Amino acid sequence: MKILVINSGSSSIKFKLYEMSSAEEGEVLASGLAERIGEDTSTLTYKRHEKDGSETKQTWNDPLPNHETGLKRIIKALSDPEKGVISSPDEIAAAGHRVLHAGEAFSAPTKVNDAVIDAIKKCIPLGPLHNPANLDGILVASQIMQGASQVAVFDTAFHQTMPPEAYLYALPYELYKEQGVRRYGFHGTSHKYVARVTAKLAGVPQDQSNIITAHLGNGSSMAAVRNGRCVDTSMGLTPLPGLIMGTRTGDIDPAIIFYLGKQLGLSLEELDNLVNKQSGLKGICGHNDLRDVHTAAEEGEERAKLALSMLAYRNKKFFGAYIAALGRVDAIAFTAGVGENDSWVRAQSLADMEHLGVVIDLERNDGRCSEPTLISADSSTIQVWVVPTDEEYEIARETYEVLS
Ligand code: AMP
């Protein structure tokens, strides 16, 4: 079954075409990105994935005034007689769409219908940057690919199993009921994929597996997974709280917002920008990419060293909290740009936790991991893994499951 995974952004469409032979087995046929949609010059980068593992890349620079022309151009490339991978667009059985926010409406991937479209629209205030673009992608694909099923895979869905004590804020209860103010969590597709793969690696049946997943990238979040289901996560109503990120604060005292608003006369918009775009690693040391922070620290910049210590300390506190929340923990898994590549962050975030059953083997932990890698010592009662995430594959897999 050929499934086209679509991640539609405000000015881009990222895509990957899979041939799924079962829910557990899929092969990438082609992938790419249409960028700068709506600008004077747009670019479509298209890669055909060859059997020997190599890629044939091609780039087009035709103008793509909107998402409709963007998706049509992608389908034309996929069915190109020379460079394409399908002989007709009808071969695509389904499109799996990444959708940021479904609120409490959906706890599983769902075939697109009026209720799905309604839920995505209702959640636009909670995901103002992503939900409108995700919806655009769904509407355009429904129109262009009339023979294909459309499935929405929500970033919030995996976290819908959290119990109320984990998802409620200690605010007046009416604000939850009337305004939907609660913890939703994000990166759900990644946490779900990594938790499932880690359970397998740890040799524990998924429905009995207790796992902490740490998705550490430019945006970062952790999830505590009990018996294969999410019971807590570090992001909240929005992707701002929890861990220290590239430009986002993570957890801060919420009263800081009022204090700064009053002291500096900042508007709500300015405060929003401050905590989301000017804070995190960038706020502490001026660099938001962790590689630059390391370089600056090695060159002796004290603030960069401080930013690294703060980041690792925050991660460590969340690991401790989730070990407490879960009780028995089978495995911890690191994933995403930082989690997969930064051995210093992995080691420091779990340093001196032998008393909790976590012992990192520094040799196993050394370097970047492009494959699942065990980095804990044999003496560690909790296994620690690096598991490269694959959100697109998870979307293709879930789309396949919805259809079968
Ligand atoms: P992501 O959001 O998952 O794409 O991750 C992006 C982050 O991963 C960036 O902040 C980079 O600093 C970090 N990253 C990527 N490669 C490396 C690397 N080799 N070492 C350290 N950090 C890395």
Side-chain angles (χ1 to χ4, degrees), residues 73-287:
R73 192 69 196 79
I74 289 168
I75 291 176
K76 193 170 164 206
L78 289 170
S79 43
D80 183 87
E82 263 182 50
K83 297 268 169 34
V85 287
I86 51 176
S87 43
S88 149
D90 297 339
E91 282 181 37
I92 303 173
H97 297 269
R98 181 182 193 172
V99 180
L100 180 80
H101 219 305
E104 288 185 324
F106 293 98
S107 55
T110 309
K111 249 183 160 176
V112 172
N113 53 27
D114 290 347
V116 169
I117 291 178
D118 250 21
I120 300 172
K121 280 187 186 159
K122 268 197 196 133
C123 291
I124 287 177
L126 293 170
L129 298 181
H130 296 87
N131 266 34
N134 300 156
L135 183 60
D136 232 18
I138 290 178
L139 296 177
V140 162
S142 308
Q143 193 193 333
I144 298 175
M145 306 166 65
Q146 294 204 353
S149 304
Q150 307 292 326
V151 173
V153 180
F154 308 101
D155 239 23
T156 46
F158 181 58
H159 304 303
Q160 277 295 303
T161 48
M162 283 188 287
E165 62 266 30
Y167 72 66
L168 283 176
Y169 294 117
L171 283 164
Y173 191 74
E174 296 70 43
L175 291 178
Y176 161 56
K177 285 315 239 187
E178 289 160 19
Q179 301 295 328
V181 174
R182 54 158 285 179
R183 182 187 303 282
Y184 290 101
F186 299 88
H187 297 136
T189 307
S190 175
H191 286 294
K192 186 175 180 185
Y193 171 82
V194 171
R196 187 164 47 79
V197 171
T198 307
K200 217 182 243 180
L201 291 165
V204 188
Q206 201 199 331
D207 60 359
Q208 294 163 33
S209 60
N210 286 8
I211 288 171
I212 301 171
T213 47
H215 178 112
L216 309 180
N218 197 29
S220 301
S221 66
M222 264 188 219
V225 178
R226 179 185 294 130
N227 297 331
R229 292 154 67 88
C230 177
V231 292
D232 207 350
T233 191
S234 60
M235 284 179 168
L237 175 78
T238 71
L240 177 63
L243 309 176
I244 294 176
M245 309 180 217
T247 62
R248 286 175 245 168
T249 54
D251 284 350
I252 57 167
D253 176 349
I256 292 169
I257 309 270
F258 321 125
Y259 179 78
L260 289 180
K262 279 188 203 146
Q263 289 294 110
L264 303 177
L266 298 178
S267 67
L268 287 179
E269 238 161 82
E270 286 167 323
L271 288 163
D272 189 328
N273 182 275
L274 177 81
V275 294
N276 275 296
K277 305 224 169 97
Q278 307 301 331
S279 299
L281 297 174
K282 183 177 174 189
I284 302 295
C285 70
H287 310 283

